Coordinates of all heavy atoms in Angstrom, one line a residue:
H1 N 5.7 13.3 24.4 CA 6.5 13.8 25.5 C 5.9 15.1 26.0 O 5.8 15.3 27.2 CB 8.0 13.9 25.1 CG 8.7 12.6 24.8 ND1 10.0 12.6 24.5 CD2 8.2 11.4 24.8 CE1 10.3 11.4 24.3 NE2 9.3 10.6 24.4
R2 N 5.7 16.0 25.0 CA 5.2 17.3 25.4 C 3.8 17.2 26.1 O 3.6 17.8 27.2 CB 5.0 18.1 24.1 CG 4.6 19.5 24.4 CD 4.6 20.4 23.1 NE 3.9 19.9 22.0 CZ 4.5 19.4 20.9 NH1 5.8 19.5 20.7 NH2 3.8 18.9 19.9
E3 N 3.0 16.3 25.6 CA 1.6 16.1 26.2 C 1.7 15.6 27.6 O 1.1 16.1 28.5 CB 0.8 15.2 25.3 CG -0.6 15.0 25.8 CD -1.4 14.1 24.9 OE1 -0.8 13.4 24.0 OE2 -2.6 14.0 25.1
A4 N 2.6 14.6 27.8 CA 2.8 14.0 29.2 C 3.3 15.1 30.1 O 2.9 15.1 31.3 CB 3.7 12.8 29.1
I5 N 4.3 15.9 29.7 CA 4.9 16.9 30.6 C 3.8 17.9 30.9 O 3.7 18.4 32.1 CB 6.1 17.5 29.9 CG1 7.2 16.5 30.0 CG2 6.5 18.8 30.7 CD1 8.5 17.0 29.2
L6 N 3.0 18.4 30.0 CA 2.0 19.3 30.3 C 1.0 18.8 31.2 O 0.5 19.5 32.2 CB 1.3 19.7 29.0 CG 2.0 20.6 28.0 CD1 1.3 20.7 26.7 CD2 2.3 22.0 28.6
L7 N 0.6 17.5 31.1 CA -0.4 16.9 32.0 C 0.2 16.8 33.4 O -0.5 17.1 34.4 CB -0.8 15.6 31.5 CG -1.7 15.6 30.2 CD1 -1.8 14.1 29.7 CD2 -3.0 16.2 30.5
K8 N 1.5 16.4 33.5 CA 2.1 16.2 34.8 C 2.4 17.6 35.5 O 2.0 17.7 36.7 CB 3.5 15.5 34.6 CG 4.3 15.3 35.8 CD 3.8 14.2 36.7 CE 4.8 13.9 37.8 NZ 4.1 13.4 39.0
Y9 N 3.0 18.5 34.8 CA 3.5 19.7 35.5 C 2.6 20.9 35.5 O 2.6 21.8 36.4 CB 4.9 20.0 35.0 CG 5.9 19.0 35.4 CD1 6.4 18.2 34.4 CD2 6.3 18.8 36.7 CE1 7.3 17.1 34.8 CE2 7.2 17.8 37.1 CZ 7.7 17.0 36.1 OH 8.6 16.0 36.4
F10 N 1.8 21.0 34.4 CA 0.9 22.1 34.3 C -0.6 21.8 34.8 O -1.3 22.7 35.1 CB 0.8 22.6 32.9 CG 2.1 23.3 32.5 CD1 3.2 22.5 32.0 CD2 2.4 24.6 32.7 CE1 4.4 23.0 31.6 CE2 3.6 25.2 32.3 CZ 4.6 24.4 31.8
H11 N -0.9 20.5 34.8 CA -2.3 20.1 35.2 C -2.2 19.2 36.5 O -3.3 18.9 37.0 CB -3.0 19.4 34.2 CG -3.3 20.2 32.9 ND1 -4.2 21.1 32.9 CD2 -2.6 20.3 31.7 CE1 -4.2 21.8 31.7 NE2 -3.2 21.2 31.0
G12 N -1.0 19.0 37.0 CA -0.8 18.3 38.3 C -1.3 16.9 38.3 O -1.7 16.3 39.4
M13 N -1.3 16.2 37.2 CA -1.8 14.8 37.1 C -0.7 13.9 37.5 O 0.5 14.1 37.3 CB -2.4 14.5 35.7 CG -3.6 15.3 35.4 SD -4.2 14.8 33.8 CE -5.5 15.9 33.6
G14 N -1.2 12.7 38.0 CA -0.2 11.6 38.3 C -0.1 10.7 37.1 O -0.7 10.8 36.1
Y15 N 0.9 9.8 37.3 CA 1.3 8.9 36.1 C 0.0 8.0 35.8 O -0.1 7.8 34.6 CB 2.4 8.0 36.5 CG 3.7 8.8 36.7 CD1 4.3 8.9 38.0 CD2 4.3 9.5 35.6 CE1 5.5 9.7 38.1 CE2 5.5 10.2 35.8 CZ 6.0 10.3 37.0 OH 7.2 11.0 37.2
E16 N -0.7 7.6 36.7 CA -1.9 6.8 36.5 C -2.9 7.6 35.6 O -3.4 7.0 34.6 CB -2.6 6.4 37.8 CG -1.8 5.4 38.6 CD -0.8 6.2 39.5 OE1 -0.9 7.4 39.5 OE2 0.1 5.5 40.2
E17 N -3.2 8.8 35.9 CA -4.1 9.6 35.1 C -3.5 9.9 33.7 O -4.3 9.7 32.7 CB -4.3 11.0 35.7 CG -5.1 10.9 37.1 CD -5.1 12.2 37.8 OE1 -4.0 12.6 38.2 OE2 -6.2 12.7 38.0
I18 N -2.2 10.1 33.7 CA -1.6 10.4 32.3 C -1.7 9.1 31.4 O -2.0 9.3 30.2 CB -0.1 10.9 32.5 CG1 -0.1 12.2 33.2 CG2 0.6 10.9 31.2 CD1 1.2 12.6 33.7
Q19 N -1.4 8.0 32.0 CA -1.5 6.8 31.2 C -2.8 6.5 30.6 O -2.9 6.1 29.5 CB -1.0 5.6 32.0 CG -2.0 5.0 32.9 CD -1.5 3.7 33.6 OE1 -0.4 3.6 34.0 NE2 -2.4 2.8 33.7
E20 N -3.9 6.9 31.4 CA -5.2 6.7 30.8 C -5.5 7.7 29.8 O -6.1 7.3 28.7 CB -6.2 6.8 32.0 CG -6.2 5.7 33.0 CD -7.1 5.8 34.1 OE1 -8.1 6.6 34.0 OE2 -7.0 5.2 35.2
I21 N -5.2 8.9 29.9 CA -5.4 10.0 29.0 C -4.7 9.8 27.6 O -5.3 9.9 26.6 CB -5.1 11.4 29.5 CG1 -6.1 11.7 30.7 CG2 -5.2 12.5 28.5 CD1 -5.8 12.9 31.5
I22 N -3.4 9.4 27.7 CA -2.7 9.2 26.4 C -2.6 7.8 26.0 O -1.9 7.5 25.0 CB -1.3 9.9 26.5 CG1 -0.4 9.3 27.5 CG2 -1.5 11.4 26.7 CD1 1.0 9.9 27.5
S23 N -3.3 6.9 26.6 CA -3.5 5.5 26.3 C -2.1 4.8 26.1 O -1.9 4.2 25.1 CB -4.3 5.4 25.0 OG -5.5 6.0 25.1
V24 N -1.3 4.9 27.1 CA -0.1 4.1 27.2 C 0.0 3.4 28.6 O -0.8 3.7 29.5 CB 1.1 5.0 27.0 CG1 1.1 5.6 25.6 CG2 1.2 6.1 28.1
N25 N 0.9 2.5 28.8 CA 1.1 1.9 30.1 C 1.8 2.8 31.0 O 2.3 3.9 30.6 CB 1.7 0.5 30.0 CG 3.2 0.5 29.6 OD1 3.9 1.4 30.0 ND2 3.5 -0.4 28.8
Y26 N 1.8 2.5 32.3 CA 2.4 3.3 33.3 C 3.9 3.7 33.1 O 4.2 4.8 33.2 CB 2.2 2.6 34.7 CG 2.8 3.3 35.9 CD1 2.0 4.2 36.6 CD2 4.1 3.1 36.3 CE1 2.4 4.9 37.7 CE2 4.6 3.8 37.4 CZ 3.8 4.7 38.1 OH 4.2 5.4 39.1
Q27 N 4.6 2.7 32.7 CA 6.1 2.9 32.6 C 6.4 3.8 31.3 O 7.3 4.6 31.3 CB 6.8 1.6 32.4 CG 8.3 1.7 32.4 CD 8.8 2.4 33.7 OE1 8.5 2.0 34.8 NE2 9.7 3.4 33.5
T28 N 5.5 3.6 30.3 CA 5.7 4.5 29.1 C 5.4 6.0 29.5 O 6.1 6.9 29.0 CB 4.8 4.0 28.0 OG1 5.2 2.6 27.6 CG2 4.9 4.9 26.8
A29 N 4.4 6.2 30.3 CA 4.1 7.6 30.8 C 5.3 8.1 31.5 O 5.7 9.3 31.3 CB 2.8 7.6 31.6
R30 N 5.9 7.3 32.4 CA 7.1 7.8 33.1 C 8.2 8.1 32.2 O 8.9 9.1 32.3 CB 7.4 6.7 34.2 CG 6.5 6.6 35.3 CD 7.0 5.7 36.4 NE 8.2 6.0 36.9 CZ 8.5 6.8 38.0 NH1 7.5 7.2 38.7 NH2 9.7 7.0 38.4
N31 N 8.4 7.2 31.2 CA 9.5 7.4 30.2 C 9.3 8.6 29.4 O 10.3 9.3 29.2 CB 9.6 6.2 29.3 CG 10.1 4.9 30.0 OD1 10.6 5.0 31.2 ND2 9.9 3.8 29.4
Y32 N 8.1 8.9 29.0 CA 7.9 10.1 28.2 C 8.3 11.3 29.0 O 9.0 12.3 28.5 CB 6.4 10.2 27.8 CG 6.0 9.4 26.7 CD1 4.6 9.2 26.5 CD2 6.8 8.7 25.8 CE1 4.1 8.4 25.5 CE2 6.4 7.9 24.8 CZ 5.0 7.8 24.6 OH 4.6 7.0 23.6
I33 N 7.9 11.4 30.3 CA 8.2 12.5 31.1 C 9.7 12.6 31.4 O 10.3 13.7 31.3 CB 7.4 12.5 32.4 CG1 5.9 12.7 32.0 CG2 7.9 13.5 33.4 CD1 4.9 12.4 33.1
Y34 N 10.3 11.5 31.7 CA 11.7 11.4 32.0 C 12.5 12.0 30.8 O 13.4 12.8 30.9 CB 12.2 10.0 32.4 CG 13.7 9.9 32.5 CD1 14.4 10.3 33.6 CD2 14.4 9.4 31.4 CE1 15.7 10.2 33.7 CE2 15.8 9.3 31.5 CZ 16.5 9.7 32.6 OH 17.8 9.6 32.6
H35 N 12.3 11.4 29.6 CA 13.0 11.8 28.5 C 12.8 13.2 28.0 O 13.6 14.0 27.6 CB 12.8 10.8 27.3 CG 13.4 9.5 27.6 ND1 14.8 9.3 27.6 CD2 12.9 8.3 27.8 CE1 15.0 8.0 27.9 NE2 13.8 7.4 28.0
G36 N 11.5 13.7 28.2 CA 11.1 15.0 27.8 C 11.9 16.0 28.8 O 12.4 17.0 28.3
V37 N 11.8 15.8 30.1 CA 12.5 16.7 31.0 C 14.0 16.7 30.8 O 14.7 17.7 30.8 CB 12.2 16.3 32.5 CG1 13.1 17.1 33.4 CG2 10.7 16.6 32.8
K38 N 14.6 15.5 30.5 CA 16.0 15.4 30.2 C 16.4 16.2 28.9 O 17.4 17.0 29.0 CB 16.4 13.9 30.0 CG 17.8 13.7 29.7 CD 18.1 12.2 29.6 CE 19.5 11.9 29.2 NZ 19.8 10.5 29.0
T39 N 15.6 16.2 27.9 CA 15.8 17.0 26.7 C 15.7 18.4 27.0 O 16.5 19.2 26.6 CB 14.8 16.6 25.6 OG1 15.0 15.2 25.3 CG2 15.0 17.4 24.4
L40 N 14.7 18.9 27.8 CA 14.5 20.3 28.1 C 15.6 20.8 28.9 O 16.1 21.9 28.7 CB 13.2 20.5 28.9 CG 11.9 20.3 28.1 CD1 10.7 20.4 29.0 CD2 11.8 21.3 27.0
K41 N 16.1 20.0 29.9 CA 17.3 20.4 30.7 C 18.5 20.6 29.8 O 19.2 21.6 30.0 CB 17.6 19.4 31.8 CG 16.7 19.4 32.9 CD 17.2 18.4 33.9 CE 16.3 18.3 35.2 NZ 16.8 17.3 36.1
K42 N 18.7 19.7 28.9 CA 19.9 19.8 28.0 C 19.8 21.0 27.1 O 20.7 21.8 27.0 CB 20.1 18.6 27.2 CG 21.3 18.6 26.2 CD 21.3 17.4 25.3 CE 22.5 17.4 24.4 NZ 22.9 18.7 23.8
E43 N 18.6 21.3 26.6 CA 18.4 22.4 25.7 C 18.6 23.7 26.5 O 19.2 24.6 26.0 CB 17.0 22.3 25.1 CG 16.7 23.4 24.0 CD 17.6 23.2 22.8 OE1 18.0 22.2 22.4 OE2 17.8 24.3 22.2
F44 N 18.1 23.8 27.6 CA 18.2 25.0 28.5 C 19.7 25.2 28.8 O 20.2 26.3 28.7 CB 17.4 24.8 29.7 CG 17.5 26.0 30.7 CD1 16.8 27.2 30.4 CD2 18.3 26.0 31.8 CE1 16.9 28.3 31.2 CE2 18.4 27.0 32.6 CZ 17.7 28.2 32.4
R45 N 20.4 24.2 29.2 CA 21.8 24.2 29.6 C 22.6 24.7 28.4 O 23.4 25.6 28.4 CB 22.3 22.9 30.0 CG 23.5 22.9 30.8 CD 23.9 21.6 31.5 NE 23.4 20.4 30.9 CZ 22.5 19.6 31.4 NH1 22.0 19.8 32.6 NH2 22.1 18.5 30.7
D46 N 22.4 24.2 27.2 CA 23.1 24.5 26.0 C 22.8 26.0 25.6 O 23.7 26.7 25.2 CB 22.7 23.6 24.8 CG 23.2 22.2 24.9 OD1 24.0 22.0 25.8 OD2 22.7 21.3 24.1

């Protein structure tokens, strides 16, 4: 999740690039980012 978020938001990569780099399918890359951001929001809020 951390790796996907770093690639998306700090390196500006799209889901297609992320899926290739971390060797997962497109939906899994989206899920990693979604769940990672959700966790970060909750932690920040708490």
Side-chain angles (χ1 to χ4, degrees):
H1 294 182
R2 185 173 51 249
E3 184 177 13
I5 287 172
L6 288 172
L7 292 171
K8 175 80 172 149
Y9 295 107
F10 291 89
H11 296 283
M13 294 184 181
Y15 296 112
E16 294 85 5
E17 293 170 295
I18 294 168
Q19 79 175 39
E20 290 177 19
I21 291 171
I22 62 176
S23 301
V24 296
N25 68 40
Y26 180 87
Q27 188 59 49
T28 301
R30 290 184 57 95
N31 290 346
Y32 284 164
I33 293 167
Y34 171 80
H35 291 292
V37 169
K38 183 177 174 182
T39 300
L40 289 173
K41 283 182 179 180
K42 182 186 180 315
E43 186 65 30
F44 180 76
R45 201 172 24 248
D46 291 349

